[in-house]
């Protein structure tokens, strides 16, 4: 486990992905890329009968770079940090502040991965992961990201007490759609609520409660403070 500091100066505990799981996820992604490259090369080979040699070579280079760099960049951008390999292993790439991975960061990781894995055989990534306290490869260092394990068991601390005025409302809640990540963020906020300034308490509470309300129904009674709402839902 390690702590990350969010943009609101709140410390959130996350579990860093272990090297074996990252290696297996990478292997899955590389198989996907190699299969895609094979299919593309076969297609270009069929079309090459009508193309000159220089154009054919240019197409091979273009599609190779597109698959090796474009696949991790697009998949991590569109899925908020999860390629097919990471999805299978329950891993996700996040920013150093715990926020979702951005396109710029995915691009840095993809370009660095081209060098680390495909040109240098993964040696720089292995050395960087072993040396870094958070298991970062060079791409993570340049991009300001870290790979976390989402499926690992979490320690939530003691149960929260239900606010009595909200008990009857909370008994009707539908919570099946509530993502674990949103619930974990809310619990971290509640555990550190007393350490926050009043302005941050309110701002973060409203933001997290708004995010949670998209997955929880029915809505709370009018005038319920964010702290009470989050406490009732988690309790």
């Amino acid at each position: 486990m390690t702590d990350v500091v969010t943009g609101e100066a709140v410390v959130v505990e996350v579990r860093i992905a272990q090297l074996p799981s990252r290696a297996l996820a990478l292997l899955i992604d590389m198989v996907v890329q190699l299969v895609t490259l094979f299919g593309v090369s076969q297609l270009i080979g069929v079309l090459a009968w009508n193309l000159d040699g220089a154009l054919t070579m240019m197409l091979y280079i273009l599609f190779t770079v597109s698959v090796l760099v474009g696949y991790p960049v697009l998949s991590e951008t569109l899925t908020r940090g999860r390629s097919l390999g990471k999805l299978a292993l329950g891993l996700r790439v996040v920013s150093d502040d715990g926020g979702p991975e951005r396109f710029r960061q995915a691009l840095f990781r993809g370009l660095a991965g081209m060098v680390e894995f495909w040109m240098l055989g993964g040696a720089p990534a292995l050395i960087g992961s072993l040396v870094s306290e958070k298991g970062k490869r060079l791409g993570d260092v340049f991009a300001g990201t870290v790979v976390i394990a989402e499926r690992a068991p979490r320690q939530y601390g003691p149960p929260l007490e239900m606010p009595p005025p909200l008990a009857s409302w909370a008994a009707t809640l539908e919570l099946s759609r509530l993502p674990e990540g949103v619930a974990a963020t809310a619990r971290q906020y509640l555990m550190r609520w007393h350490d926050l300034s009043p302005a941050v308490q309110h701002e973060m509470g409203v933001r997290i409660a708004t995010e949670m309300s998209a997955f929880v129904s029915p809505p709370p009674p009018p005038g319920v403070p964010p702290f009470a709402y989050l406490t009732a839902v988690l309790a």
Side-chain angles (χ1 to χ4, degrees):
M1 303 291 288
T2 188
D3 291 337
V4 297
V5 182
T6 70
E8 293 84 5
V10 176
V11 179
V12 179
E13 193 175 49
V14 297
R15 184 178 294 272
I16 299 298
Q18 298 299 307
L19 183 58
S21 59
R22 292 188 63 175
L24 183 56
L26 173 64
L27 179 61
I28 294 174
D29 288 331
M30 293 182 76
V31 169
V32 172
Q33 290 171 292
L34 290 174
V35 170
T36 303
L37 281 176
F38 177 78
V40 170
S41 65
Q42 295 299 306
L43 177 60
I44 295 178
V46 172
L47 298 176
W49 292 100
N50 301 318
L51 302 175
D52 61 68
L55 181 57
T56 301
M57 182 58 64
M58 184 187 71
L59 288 177
Y60 273 118
I61 295 175
L62 176 63
F63 280 106
T64 298
V65 174
S66 297
V67 172
L68 298 187
V69 177
Y71 164 78
V73 172
L74 288 178
S75 61
E76 290 183 7
T77 300
L78 296 177
T79 62
R80 299 170 68 87
R82 294 194 295 181
S83 61
L84 290 177
K86 292 182 178 64
L87 179 63
L89 272 295
L91 309 181
R92 184 187 293 273
V93 181
V94 297
S95 299
D96 282 337
D97 63 359
E101 181 186 22
R102 295 178 284 275
F103 171 76
R104 173 183 58 81
Q105 295 170 312
L107 180 60
F108 273 115
R109 282 175 50 83
L111 292 174
M114 178 75 174
V115 177
E116 290 182 272
F117 301 123
W118 298 103
M119 298 177 64
L120 298 178
L126 175 61
I127 295 173
S129 297
L130 292 175
V131 171
S132 171
E133 180 182 352
K134 295 184 178 180
K136 291 189 173 192
R137 64 176 177 88
L138 295 182
D140 291 311
V141 175
F142 294 143
T145 56
V146 64
V147 182
I148 65 172
E150 293 189 306
R151 293 179 186 170
R154 303 174 185 270
Q155 299 298 325
Y156 286 131
L160 296 171
E161 295 185 6
M162 173 67 66
L166 298 179
S168 58
W169 164 77
T172 67
L173 290 179
E174 169 55 48
L175 304 174
S176 60
R177 296 176 54 242
L178 181 62
E180 182 181 355
V182 176
T185 300
R187 183 172 289 272
Q188 291 288 340
Y189 163 76
L190 295 176
M191 291 174 60
R192 293 176 167 85
W193 187 81
H194 293 287
D195 299 327
L196 306 177
S197 67
V200 174
Q201 287 176 351
H202 176 74
E203 180 182 351
M204 280 201 67
V206 170
R207 179 175 60 81
I208 298 173
T210 300
E211 183 179 11
M212 180 175 284
S213 65
F215 304 100
V216 176
S217 60
V224 174
F227 180 89
Y229 169 73
L230 296 174
T231 302
V233 171
L234 294 184

